[in-house]
């Protein structure tokens, strides 16, 4: 059984709503407090990236199951400019926006599964999953 909800990411307030929703789902899935914090931080970074670099997008937040294990999966999508060099974008410290350059690489470290697909001129799709221990 999978339950999912789509949330828009079009203004700063949407990033806050994504964080709140992800925390609620993380609690319901049974993630530890540390893992809740990790997944909420990843959600915040990825939502902010969609807003800043793509002008907005959306996230699908869903509860997933693997046998008896429960997890939280987030699928961020946008129709922005895309990422021309994914390997470079996942390098710590690399940024096009003047930040610390830890958004994508940091988010990847905070979750159990991380997949990034991007086509320049078409957009980006990032799927992350955190499993309850």
């Amino acid at each position: 059984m999978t339950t999912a909800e789509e949330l828009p990411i079009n203004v700063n307030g949407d990033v806050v709503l994504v964080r709140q929703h992800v925390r609620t789902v993380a609690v319901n899935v049974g993630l530890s407090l540390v893992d809740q914090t990790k997944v909420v931080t990843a959600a915040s970074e990825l939502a902010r990236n969609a807003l800043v670099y793509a002008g907005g997008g959306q996230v699908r937040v869903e509860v997933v199951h693997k046998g008896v294990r429960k997890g939280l999966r987030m699928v961020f999508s946008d129709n922005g400019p895309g990422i021309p060099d994914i390997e470079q974008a996942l390098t710590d410290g690399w940024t096009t926006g003047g930040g610390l350059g830890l958004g994508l690489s940091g988010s990847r470290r905070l979750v159990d599964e991380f997949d990034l697909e991007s086509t320049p001129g078409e957009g980006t799709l990032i799927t992350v999953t955190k499993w309850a221990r």
Side-chain angles (χ1 to χ4, degrees):
M1 177 183 132
T2 302
T3 58
E5 186 166 344
E6 300 252 350
L7 301 169
I9 305 167
N10 297 314
V11 295
N12 282 327
D14 291 340
V15 176
V16 174
L17 294 175
V18 167
R19 287 176 59 93
Q20 291 170 341
H21 182 70
V22 167
R23 178 159 314 273
T24 299
V25 175
V27 168
N28 291 339
V29 165
L31 294 181
S32 69
L33 185 57
V34 169
D35 284 345
Q36 290 172 36
T37 302
K38 287 179 178 180
V39 77
V40 168
T41 301
S44 183
E45 289 292 331
L46 296 172
R48 179 134 331 270
N49 277 1
L51 185 60
V52 170
Y53 296 107
Q58 63 186 21
V59 61
R60 177 181 170 95
V61 180
E62 58 188 339
V63 176
V64 291
H65 301 270
K66 184 188 289 181
V68 297
R69 291 179 79 192
K70 286 173 84 173
L72 186 157
R73 178 170 296 142
M74 299 177 290
V75 181
F76 292 85
S77 58
D78 67 63
N79 296 314
I83 301 170
D85 187 336
I86 291 172
E87 188 174 329
Q88 185 179 39
L90 288 170
T91 302
D92 283 351
W94 186 84
T95 180
T96 59
L100 295 175
L102 296 172
L104 289 176
S105 61
S107 295
R108 179 170 59 173
R109 282 193 299 275
L110 292 170
V111 297
D112 298 318
E113 298 172 15
F114 182 97
D115 182 64
L116 189 158
E117 299 172 31
S118 190
T119 303
E122 293 183 20
T124 301
L125 182 71
I126 301 174
T127 305
V128 298
T129 306
K130 189 73 175 169
W131 294 101
R133 307 269 173 243

